[in-house]
Amino acid sequence: MRGGAGRRRECGGRCVRRVLGALLTGQEDAEFSIASEDSYVAYADQWDDLVRVALVVFPLLLLVAMTCVTWLLTAQAVIVAHTRRRSGGLPLRAVWDRSRGHLGAALRVQALTVACALGPALAGLAVLVAVEEELVPGVVRPTYHDPATVQFILVGRVLPVLIWAGGVVLLGRFSLATAIRVADGCSATVAMRRSWTLTRAARSRTTGLWLLGLGVLAVAFTLLKWIGTYVAHAAGLLMLATTDDNVWVTGVLVLIVPVAVALVLLPLALAPVGVLSACLRERLDQVPEAARVPSWASVE
């Protein structure tokens, strides 16, 4: 037994030394590449490899983030429902037991919500690409010598923001669906329809709380992105050490990693937003306009 433990410690020590050696080697390579003013043109042929990696990594990150959001919103809805009906705390094991039966439908709610918001997101991105490629008649991209025209500002800047704002509105209208699923036990589609109706019955209150939640998420995303820069530094050194001083691909990786770290950790900042959504659902059920809306509790 002692011999096995010693071998495991020795193997772990070798792994740590290899990682530290790779980091030191990468740092030396980075300093040499910067001093040599290495050009990214020499590494442009590796761009396809980076795109293929991104096409796999980012959907996986989105799936992980969506799963974390589903669990957090479901757990918070369970806790709020328990607090409204009885006193006393709820152990973590009990939260998991009560949330487990709702996770499948809650995940479908999140998938449908993302699918609804994906339309405006892609539409706004398509407008940006069309303007940048000068595919829109009458809209010319500004150059170093020519200032931006009114048409470019309206179509290339204002219009995408308005389209994305429509996606944010959709997210707000469907934000109560998970709490409704937990409280009423209905299907995902019925929960989304009822969320749409409830938020329509109290637009000002819903908009105010939703904007507050967006502000919290924006601040959290900025802080998490800043924390991700430290992860990006280590990732960049490892990338340099494993790609023969490919400073261009490393630079792209360093730009991507902070955003990826922020997206993965962002669900940790959803606790106040999820509690707000669950509490808002409880209050809207008491609004006279919303009270006339059927709860659909019997629909499966």
Side-chain angles (χ1 to χ4, degrees):
M1 294 297 293
R2 293 181 181 178
R7 285 194 296 271
R8 285 194 295 270
R9 284 195 297 267
E10 183 180 355
C11 181
R14 285 200 301 268
C15 292
V16 171
R17 286 194 295 271
R18 289 176 182 175
V19 172
L20 292 178
L23 288 173
L24 293 176
T25 303
Q27 184 173 2
E28 294 173 358
D29 293 340
E31 294 173 352
F32 176 79
S33 299
I34 294 173
S36 302
E37 297 182 355
D38 222 349
S39 173
Y40 71 89
V41 177
Y43 309 109
D45 58 341
Q46 297 189 23
W47 169 254
D48 293 337
D49 295 335
L50 184 63
V51 171
R52 283 194 291 267
V53 172
L55 290 176
V56 175
V57 171
F58 273 95
L60 291 177
L61 290 177
L62 179 61
L63 180 61
V64 171
M66 191 168 64
T67 304
C68 293
V69 168
T70 300
W71 152 244
L72 286 174
L73 293 180
T74 303
Q76 289 151 9
V78 167
I79 293 172
V80 170
H82 172 80
T83 305
R84 296 277 296 181
R85 289 168 174 78
R86 64 188 68 181
S87 59
L90 193 63
L92 183 60
R93 180 61 181 270
V95 173
W96 168 249
D97 291 338
R98 297 188 184 187
S99 302
R100 187 169 51 188
H102 302 287
L103 289 179
L107 187 59
R108 289 193 293 274
V109 167
Q110 297 304 316
L112 291 173
T113 303
V114 170
C116 292
L118 197 60
L122 294 178
L125 183 61
V127 171
L128 282 180
V129 173
V131 171
E132 291 297 325
E133 297 294 332
E134 299 183 355
L135 299 177
V136 182
V139 178
V140 180
R141 187 175 59 182
T143 61
Y144 292 106
H145 305 288
D146 299 325
T149 61
V150 176
Q151 294 88 341
F152 176 82
I153 294 175
L154 292 177
V155 178
R157 296 295 178 261
V158 177
L159 182 58
V161 173
L162 293 177
I163 295 175
W164 290 333
V168 174
V169 171
L170 288 177
L171 290 176
R173 297 297 298 271
F174 294 132
S175 60
L176 307 183
T178 301
I180 292 172
R181 157 65 198 181
V182 172
D184 297 346
C186 55
S187 64
T189 54
V190 170
M192 294 185 70
R193 287 201 300 267
R194 179 157 171 79
S195 176
W196 184 274
T197 306
L198 286 178
T199 52
R200 184 179 58 191
R203 288 188 178 91
S204 59
R205 185 183 304 176
T206 303
T207 303
L209 288 178
W210 180 242
L211 290 177
L212 176 62
L214 285 180
V216 171
L217 292 180
V219 173
F221 180 81
T222 303
L223 292 177
L224 292 174
K225 186 178 177 182
W226 173 71
I227 294 174
T229 57
Y230 295 95
V231 181
H233 177 71
L237 294 179
L238 285 175
M239 179 62 76
L240 282 173
T242 56
T243 57
D244 297 329
D245 298 346
N246 190 331
V247 293
W248 185 62
V249 174
T250 302
V252 176
L253 178 69
V254 170
L255 291 176
I256 293 175
V257 167
V259 178
V261 171
L263 289 177
V264 171
L265 298 180
L266 191 60
L268 299 178
L270 280 172
V273 180
V275 172
L276 283 176
S277 298
C279 293
L280 180 61
R281 182 263 167 197
E282 296 282 348
R283 293 183 65 87
L284 288 182
D285 268 346
Q286 303 173 8
V287 175
E289 293 83 355
R292 295 194 292 268
V293 180
S295 63
W296 304 95
S298 61
V299 179
E300 295 296 336

